Amino acid sequence: MLKLVQKFLQINRYSDIKNEFKDLFLSHPNYPSLFAITDSFDLLSIENAAVRVSKEQIVDLPANFLAYFKDELILVEKAKNFVRINTSKKSGLKMTYENFLLDWNGVIVAIEPNNVVARENLKVEYNWVKYFLPLLLLTGLSFFYHTYSLFSMVFLTTSIIGLVVSFFIVQEKLGVKNSVISRFCNLSINSSCNSVLNFDEGNNKWVNFSDLPLLFFSSSVIALLIQPFASSVFVGFLSLLSIPIIVCSIWIQKFEIQKWCVMCLVVSFLIFTQSVIWFSSDLFTLNFTFNTIFPFLFSFILFIPIWAVIKSMLRNILDNDNSLKELKKFKRNYSLLNFLSKKVIYPKGFDDLRGLTFGNKNAVAKLSIIISPSCGHCYKTFQEAFDLVLRYPDKIFLNVLFNINPENNDNPYKVIVERLLTINRATPGKTVEAISDWYIKRMGLKKWLKKWHVDSVSMMINQEIQKQYEWCSKNNFNYTPVKIVNERLFPNEYELSELKYFLNDFMEDVEEVLEKTA
């Protein structure tokens, strides 16, 4: 039946909420009834109608609809001279209108087609191998086609080291903390990479001074791999031209900031080393050719826009992470939790419900979850709730209740609730294993029923299921899971696992009540 309705949703362009429907439908207390379908449609804001029409109105019905045919729910697709029938077992069966009308009882479920084209969120997967693979291939090809002299190898080695250090400089500048680099940057009280790197905070944000080493060394590495010897000459010349910038950087660190950036000093040392090697070699010349200049200039011009885009993306990611951290702080405000926690409409009779209980009955946080054995989200809810009890057995008391219609004999999962409550009453020591097999281990229905066989289900158990179902209906809980903490609904804006952040606040509330009554 589920796949049939999902296909119905897909035909009407609701493919993006098929999984949401599945969760709502399976968790409905009246699953798998027609009301469970229409009620789930309502919760998803899908306009729908379940009506009985005369057979003569078949021509006026929508192009597709759900119908009861031979006491079975089917999906009907109308054509000019025939209807196409889809059942839970078969699909695409063609039938004349006359034959269809003979066994159709006139009941249909129709929905309003979705005329809004849904936008799918773009998922960007960052696979860093894709970015490093071209460089690795280029390095391999370079060593295969070129013979590196000692002069070229020194420049390539120092440039690679400079590229790695430059990467950590940018990382520190963006605020991405690395414990190893942090210790390296704070070797003494006079060293602070962060102070130096943020000194130009008011300058141009598109390309900062901290970006220049990364651009220089990345361009140098690419140029040296393309033209090892010729590029070494030009890179050495540029290193010599960079000496005034190095001197200026050291002067600023020494006299203005009065802090040393260890990584900046490493970069300065590498550039100074390259300039000295070039200046002292017999290749010292200013007669540069096109082959000498082009590889570096091409790489440098290419990397500037690429780095600008990457840097912008990184800033957005880091800003989002920071915003998320602030949001978490905001959510953990106990006053906000109290504001979002709504009172149960009709609490009368709640204390009389007898479910499966775990933990300390005198705990400061009394957590009740109302679940269904056919609910997909209930697996996670029970596991989170049970984990909380295991971790804080003295502070959290868990009461597990069920929202399932005891008169709905078509629901194959009803027997699970009956047996769980029976096991809990007859052999309470086995309750944890029985409920864990279903909600945590997610054992199959047949396997679970075979393992947890009971002789009979007493009238008292059926009455308890009825009582829980009626209490849920009275409070309009036509869904699961429902989470109640200290007689208030736990907000949907919170994960149940976040309850642990408020245990001390609950304790303070209890202490205040005791002081007032003392």
Side-chain angles (χ1 to χ4, degrees):
M1 181 184 291
L2 174 61
K3 291 183 178 180
L4 196 69
V5 182
Q6 285 182 319
K7 184 175 182 179
F8 180 47
L9 290 171
Q10 184 175 350
I11 292 173
N12 288 279
R13 299 186 293 275
Y14 289 103
S15 299
D16 53 328
I17 58 173
K18 287 194 303 182
N19 290 331
E20 291 183 61
F21 171 81
K22 177 182 177 181
D23 294 331
L24 291 171
F25 180 54
L26 292 178
S27 64
H28 201 282
N30 289 307
Y31 165 87
S33 66
L34 186 63
F35 174 66
I37 296 175
T38 57
D39 198 33
S40 298
F41 285 161
D42 291 336
L43 290 172
L44 293 170
S45 300
I46 300 175
E47 292 187 25
N48 66 92
V51 294
R52 184 185 294 273
V53 298
S54 63
K55 295 185 178 182
E56 290 77 18
Q57 291 180 289
I58 184 71
V59 293
D60 300 323
L61 295 179
N64 56 82
F65 54 90
L66 297 174
Y68 271 99
F69 183 79
K70 295 182 179 179
D71 296 326
E72 180 185 5
L73 187 70
I74 63 169
L75 171 60
V76 181
E77 296 177 79
K78 291 169 53 180
K80 187 175 182 181
N81 299 317
F82 62 90
V83 294
R84 185 178 288 106
I85 292 175
N86 301 276
T87 68
S88 299
K89 298 179 180 179
K90 296 182 181 180
S91 60
L93 298 176
K94 292 183 179 180
M95 183 179 297
T96 63
Y97 277 94
E98 292 76 15
N99 291 334
F100 171 72
L101 293 175
L102 287 175
D103 295 304
W104 173 46
N105 66 359
V107 175
I108 71 160
V109 176
I111 62 175
E112 185 71 21
N114 183 18
N115 295 319
V116 179
V117 180
R119 282 186 170 182
E120 295 185 0
N121 293 326
L122 296 177
K123 295 181 180 179
V124 182
E125 295 183 358
Y126 294 96
N127 189 346
W128 293 106
V129 176
K130 295 180 181 178
Y131 297 98
F132 283 105
L133 187 59
L135 182 60
L136 293 174
L137 291 175
L138 186 59
T139 303
L141 289 173
S142 180
F143 277 94
F144 180 78
Y145 284 106
H146 301 291
T147 301
Y148 281 80
S149 63
L150 179 61
F151 182 75
S152 301
M153 281 299 299
V154 170
F155 274 86
L156 180 61
T157 302
T158 52
S159 295
I160 291 176
I161 296 173
L163 179 60
V164 174
V165 176
S166 300
F167 171 79
F168 288 123
I169 287 176
V170 171
Q171 189 182 57
E172 186 74 14
K173 171 70 176 180
L174 293 174
V176 180
K177 299 301 179 182
N178 185 304
S179 57
V180 177
I181 299 302
S182 296
R183 286 195 294 267
F184 184 69
C185 285
N186 297 282
L187 292 174
S188 67
I189 57 173
N190 295 321
S191 61
S192 174
C193 295
N194 186 61
S195 300
V196 177
L197 294 176
N198 290 316
F199 179 72
D200 63 333
E201 193 67 38
N203 295 330
N204 184 14
K205 297 296 188 300
W206 187 55
V207 176
N208 290 313
F209 282 119
S210 57
D211 300 330
L212 294 178
L214 182 67
L215 294 172
F216 175 75
F217 284 115
S218 59
S219 302
S220 298
V221 169
I222 297 300
L224 290 165
L225 291 175
I226 297 174
Q227 291 285 352
F229 183 77
S231 297
S232 298
V233 177
F234 188 64
V235 169
F237 171 68
L238 291 178
S239 297
L240 184 65
L241 293 182
S242 302
I243 294 298
I245 299 177
I246 293 174
V247 173
C248 179
S249 173
I250 293 175
W251 187 88
I252 291 174
Q253 293 178 61
K254 173 65 176 177
F255 296 104
E256 292 196 24
I257 306 176
Q258 296 181 353
K259 294 285 184 179
W260 295 104
C261 171
V262 181
M263 290 191 294
C264 300
L265 294 177
V266 172
V267 168
S268 300
F269 174 77
L270 292 172
I271 293 176
F272 181 77
T273 301
Q274 288 182 338
S275 63
V276 170
I277 293 174
W278 177 80
F279 188 78
S280 60
S281 67
D282 54 358
L283 299 172
F284 173 67
T285 178
L286 297 177
N287 297 322
F288 300 116
T289 64
F290 178 79
N291 290 336
T292 305
I293 299 174
F294 179 75
F296 182 90
L297 290 181
F298 175 79
S299 302
F300 189 77
I301 294 172
L302 179 66
F303 272 115
I304 288 178
I306 292 176
W307 171 239
V309 173
I310 293 175
K311 185 178 179 181
S312 177
M313 291 173 60
L314 290 174
R315 283 193 180 278
N316 289 334
I317 292 172
L318 292 172
D319 288 342
N320 290 336
D321 287 342
N322 291 332
S323 298
L324 185 60
K325 291 177 182 177
E326 292 300 319
L327 178 61
K328 287 181 178 179
K329 290 181 182 178
F330 182 69
K331 284 184 67 178
R332 292 176 185 177
N333 187 316
Y334 185 56
S335 299
L336 177 65
L337 179 73
N338 276 333
F339 176 77
L340 294 174
S341 300
K342 305 301 181 183
K343 291 182 178 180
V344 176
I345 300 175
Y346 300 107
K348 185 178 180 180
F350 180 71
D351 293 335
D352 298 329
L353 302 179
R354 296 292 176 261
L356 313 179
T357 58
F358 309 93
N360 178 17
K361 290 186 178 181
N362 297 319
V364 293
K366 292 179 173 57
L367 168 63
S368 297
I369 58 173
I370 304 174
I371 56 179
S372 167
S374 59
C375 164
H377 289 302
C378 293
Y379 293 104
K380 180 183 177 184
T381 298
F382 174 78
Q383 185 158 11
E384 288 182 346
F386 197 67
D387 287 343
L388 285 170
V389 175
L390 291 177
R391 189 171 180 182
Y392 309 99
D394 297 328
K395 295 183 177 181
I396 297 178
F397 172 70
L398 174 62
N399 184 24
V400 180
L401 303 171
F402 298 96
N403 185 4
I404 192 165
N405 189 349
E407 298 178 359
N408 182 11
N409 295 321
D410 291 331
N411 189 345
Y413 299 101
K414 186 180 74 168
V415 65
I416 294 177
V417 178
E418 294 173 343
R419 293 191 182 184
L420 281 174
L421 293 176
T422 301
I423 291 168
N424 184 61
R425 186 176 294 273
T427 54
K430 296 183 178 180
T431 304
V432 172
E433 184 183 357
I435 195 170
S436 297
D437 281 347
W438 182 257
Y439 284 105
I440 297 179
K441 296 181 180 179
R442 302 195 182 189
M443 190 178 289
L445 180 60
K446 291 183 179 180
K447 188 176 180 181
W448 191 91
L449 294 177
K450 183 178 179 180
K451 179 178 179 180
W452 298 104
H453 175 75
V454 296
D455 295 331
S456 62
V457 178
S458 67
M459 183 65 69
M460 189 179 297
I461 296 297
N462 288 323
Q463 290 174 351
E464 180 59 39
I465 297 174
Q466 181 71 35
K467 189 188 298 184
Q468 295 181 20
Y469 173 71
E470 289 177 352
W471 188 86
C472 290
S473 298
K474 189 176 182 180
N475 284 280
N476 295 322
F477 292 150
N478 291 323
Y479 59 91
T480 52
V482 176
K483 294 160 279 188
I484 301 173
V485 180
N486 292 350
E487 300 182 352
R488 296 178 69 90
L489 290 172
F490 192 71
N492 291 325
E493 292 81 2
Y494 287 83
E495 295 290 333
L496 190 56
S497 58
E498 294 177 311
L499 179 64
K500 61 187 177 185
Y501 298 119
F502 305 102
L503 294 178
N504 290 334
D505 297 299
F506 290 135
M507 179 69 75
E508 291 177 3
D509 285 349
V510 172
E511 291 176 352
E512 287 181 7
V513 172
L514 292 175
E515 288 177 0
K516 290 179 181 179
T517 56

